[in-house]
Amino acid sequence: MILVLGGTTEGRIAVRTLEEAGKPFYYSTRGSEQDITLHNGIRLQGGMDGSGLESFCRSHHISLLVDAAHPFAGELHRNVGEAAGRLRIPVIRYERIYPKREAEGIVWCRDYGDAICRIREEGIRVLLALTGVQTIGKLETLWREGCRCYFRILDRESSRELARRQGFSEEYLCYYRTGEDERLPMRRLRPDAILLKESGVSGGFPEKVEAARELGIRIFAIERPPLPEDFVTVNGEHGLRRMVEKFVPDFYPLRSGLTTGTCATAAAVAATWDLFGFGGQPRPGEFPVVLPNGEQISVPVENREGFPHSCLVNGSRMRKAEACVIKDAGDDPDITDGMRIKASVAVPYEADEPGGGEAADYNIVVTGGEGIGIVTLSGLGLEPGMPAINPTPRKMIADNVRLCLERLGIPRRSAPFLVTISVPSGEEIAGRTFNPRLGIRGGISIIGTSGIVKPFSTEAFIGSIRKSMEVARATGSPRVVISSGAKSERYIKAYYPDLPAQAFVHYGNFIGETLKIADELGVPRVTLGVMIGKAVKLAEGNLDTHSKKVTMNRDFILDIARQAACGEEVAAAIRQMNLARELWSIIPAEKTEGFAKLLIGYCRRCCASLLPHGELTILLISEDGKIYV
């Protein structure tokens, strides 16, 4: 059994991540004020001291602790570490993402005592503390001795009562408003300085610092306390799931994997380390990769592919190192599973010579080598003739190589760092994919938008849809909105701003199953949001739109275009297109509305019988968020 200690944004994400398994776990918070929906999780309320935590873990057979509590909950972290040590169970620390500590403009303090000393030394007379109601007592020396201190706290009675118990006047309380511009209270109170905790990105640290800098206000920040050394740290949902899979292998029915983009990135980081850092510490077996969402995971890399060596690139003598990652797709049925994905990093010898001055940034060039396909048609987001390395993994590779160079202290130079991605078996494997049909010749694509492959069994995914639908119905929302995922949901939420968050349900590819569930549960009104890639499949009668089950039918799309009175020039473009989203640029502006209405009509014809007792609204969503009804 798994026990999560939460009460934070990270706790919410931990719950969402564990819920994907469809198995029970415990979620503990100190108070009862966090509103959170649990399908499989069991809610616990009330703080546990060290002995209480240890006793609970023993009696409930806890095999893994997830510490997702606030970074400044020092006593809790110590209790977790001590209990886990005695029971010999692992701890995953779900840490926040923290911006790099800046020395300029911020006075960093070890603790509250250090902060008091530094604030006194600087002669601060008016202070705005953004450190929360729990810290009023810790700063009592300041506000008792004449420094006018304002504390921003949550607007709830329990917080006001705690301030009163600490002897603090309500006159100097101000309240946090969700979404409020951080500059507003600073402008209103005109403090000489602000005091904040190193609360990370999810705690709004960057926004508070930026607001104070803009207004010329001094900034004092308290460093987050250290964690027990035995904690295994992650800072995002993907890393959390991968660590849970490691420590509790049977918790998830299917194991997650890595995209080709993440594997290529890890190989590129390892090759960069080999090129510049091999003479220092022993080479690690895993290398850090920052994913597109900002979290960092560790990826296993094969042993070093030889030491750096000389080579010629376009007639220039360069120093090069190579590294390799074996693609692990988890339990996803991916044809690329087990492939060797290689990266080489090369830099001209002239870059090591003194002189020339430091450049503004590293000149990182990412290209494809053996086994990487070449784009031959437009519409894929890459220019014809370019290697098939999609924009997201291309940026991911460059950003992570840049981070590695910074960590190794390599000076910025205008000389190029040439990163070449190759897959020795890529050309042979590509023949068994959709790549030839998409106009990608000679190899595979390096793809991946999240960096992680999260497989779901059909049964488990449909089960999660049912539970989400049950929660949506229980809210009493006037309608339930179903969409394929986060992107389309974001646009539809703007269309229905007054609906509760629980009213939005993801169908993934299972449109038919989701509508059947809505009918079984008696949902009176359902809005189906669909983007054009799935819409052209649904319109033809395909209720499961997964790309492994069905591909777009150009002849069917041509027929709809002709019904919308589009001419032969449009028809010719449709015959040549590779992705359905190209239709938004192919269909003339004056014909788009008519084409969209026809497409929606076909989708409605396919879906209406699945919701015989409810009202169905279908929204077609363009790539830039425009909605057609």
Side-chain angles (χ1 to χ4, degrees), residues 364-588:
I364 299 169
V365 179
V366 180
T367 189
E370 177 191 4
I372 301 297
I374 299 298
V375 177
T376 64
L377 300 175
S378 59
L380 293 173
L382 295 167
E383 291 295 322
M386 289 185 64
I389 304 174
N390 284 11
T392 297
R394 182 181 292 272
K395 182 177 186 300
M396 194 169 144
I397 292 165
D399 288 350
N400 277 271
V401 168
R402 182 178 294 107
L403 284 171
C404 185
L405 291 169
E406 289 176 352
R407 284 195 295 265
L408 294 171
I410 306 303
R412 293 177 175 85
R413 294 285 186 263
S414 58
F417 295 85
L418 181 62
V419 182
T420 305
I421 308 300
S422 59
V423 180
S425 59
E427 186 169 4
E428 185 272 325
I429 289 173
R432 291 178 271 154
T433 71
F434 286 124
N435 273 11
R437 192 181 304 178
L438 296 174
I440 298 172
R441 308 293 180 189
I444 68 161
S445 310
I446 301 298
I447 60 173
T449 55
S450 70
I452 295 290
V453 178
K454 289 203 299 186
F456 291 96
S457 67
T458 299
E459 181 181 354
F461 195 88
I462 292 174
S464 70
I465 292 172
R466 179 176 293 277
K467 287 173 181 173
S468 297
M469 192 75 74
E470 288 170 349
V471 171
R473 184 188 60 173
T475 65
S477 173
R479 70 174 58 244
V480 173
V481 181
I482 64 174
S483 61
S484 61
K487 182 178 179 180
S488 53
E489 181 184 285
R490 184 171 70 252
Y491 294 136
I492 305 175
K493 276 185 172 177
Y495 191 80
Y496 291 116
D498 298 326
L499 293 183
Q502 294 86 354
F504 296 85
V505 175
H506 291 178
Y507 56 71
N509 289 296
F510 300 108
I511 297 173
E513 294 292 341
T514 305
L515 290 172
K516 289 176 186 176
I517 291 169
D519 186 60
E520 291 171 16
L521 296 177
V523 177
R525 296 181 188 84
V526 175
T527 292
L528 164 63
V530 63
M531 300 190 80
I532 202 161
K534 294 187 186 298
V536 295
K537 298 175 184 177
L538 177 63
E540 198 180 4
N542 300 291
L543 293 167
D544 180 347
T545 58
H546 197 291
S547 60
K548 290 174 181 171
K549 298 284 185 69
V550 61
T551 57
M552 69 173 181
N553 183 341
R554 291 186 186 83
D555 291 336
F556 176 72
I557 297 169
L558 274 169
D559 186 50
I560 298 176
R562 290 191 180 102
Q563 292 178 52
C566 295
E568 187 52 41
E569 186 176 335
V570 171
I574 290 174
R575 292 189 190 98
Q576 296 299 315
M577 73 179 187
N578 292 296
L579 300 172
R581 65 170 179 250
E582 295 175 61
L583 286 165
W584 294 118
S585 58
I586 290 173
I587 305 294

Side-chain angles (χ1 to χ4, degrees), residues 64-316:
L64 175 65
L65 284 164
V66 178
D67 180 356
H70 195 280
F72 281 78
E75 184 178 355
L76 182 145
H77 302 321
R78 286 190 296 275
N79 290 340
V80 170
E82 290 169 3
R86 285 191 290 268
L87 297 172
R88 297 185 179 180
I89 58 177
V91 179
I92 300 173
R93 168 59 185 165
Y94 192 154
E95 191 63 290
R96 298 181 173 185
I97 295 174
Y98 294 97
K100 185 178 179 181
R101 280 185 189 164
E102 300 178 52
E104 185 179 350
I106 299 179
V107 179
W108 288 99
C109 310
R110 296 185 305 276
D111 51 31
Y112 287 95
D114 187 31
I116 290 171
C117 292
R118 290 170 177 265
I119 289 168
R120 280 174 175 162
E121 288 170 1
E122 300 241 0
I124 302 300
R125 305 304 303 164
V126 181
L127 178 73
L128 172 58
L130 304 174
T131 50
V133 70
Q134 301 277 356
T135 65
I136 290 176
K138 295 178 180 180
L139 297 169
E140 184 175 2
T141 302
L142 277 180
W143 52 267
R144 290 285 189 193
E145 68 182 19
C147 178
R148 191 195 312 163
C149 296
Y150 293 95
F151 284 84
R152 187 172 70 169
I153 67 173
L154 295 174
D155 188 6
R156 59 193 186 197
E157 186 54 35
S158 61
S159 295
R160 283 184 284 273
E161 175 58 28
L162 183 54
R164 286 192 289 267
R165 288 205 303 268
Q166 295 176 89
F168 193 76
S169 171
E170 290 191 42
E171 178 185 356
Y172 297 107
L173 295 177
C174 62
Y175 298 104
Y176 172 74
R177 315 288 182 192
T178 303
E180 180 182 59
D181 188 329
E182 293 289 351
R183 292 169 295 187
L184 293 180
M186 297 182 197
R187 284 175 175 155
R188 186 172 67 252
L189 300 173
R190 296 173 177 269
D192 300 325
I194 64 167
L195 176 65
L196 64 161
K197 295 183 286 192
E198 188 181 15
S199 56
V201 173
S202 64
F205 185 87
E207 291 80 7
K208 295 168 188 172
V209 168
E210 182 182 354
R213 280 178 172 157
E214 183 179 322
L215 298 174
I217 296 170
R218 295 284 283 131
I219 304 166
F220 294 82
I222 298 174
E223 298 172 0
R224 64 187 187 274
L227 294 164
E229 292 182 0
D230 293 339
F231 285 12
V232 177
T233 302
V234 301
N235 64 353
E237 60 184 306
H238 301 309
L240 175 61
R241 172 161 176 162
R242 287 174 65 79
M243 286 298 105
V244 171
E245 290 170 349
K246 176 180 178 179
F247 291 121
V248 190
D250 60 347
F251 186 72
Y252 288 97
L254 296 173
R255 190 171 56 87
S256 63
L258 304 173
T259 63
T260 51
T262 296
C263 295
T265 300
V269 170
T272 303
W273 193 95
D274 288 344
L275 189 61
F276 296 104
F278 65 91
Q281 299 175 352
R283 188 182 196 262
E286 296 185 338
F287 282 83
V289 169
V290 177
L291 300 177
N293 69 350
E295 71 168 286
Q296 179 176 293
I297 64 169
S298 294
V299 178
V301 177
E302 292 290 281
N303 291 332
R304 184 184 293 127
E305 299 248 325
F307 288 93
H309 58 277
S310 296
C311 66
L312 285 175
V313 178
N314 296 327
S316 298

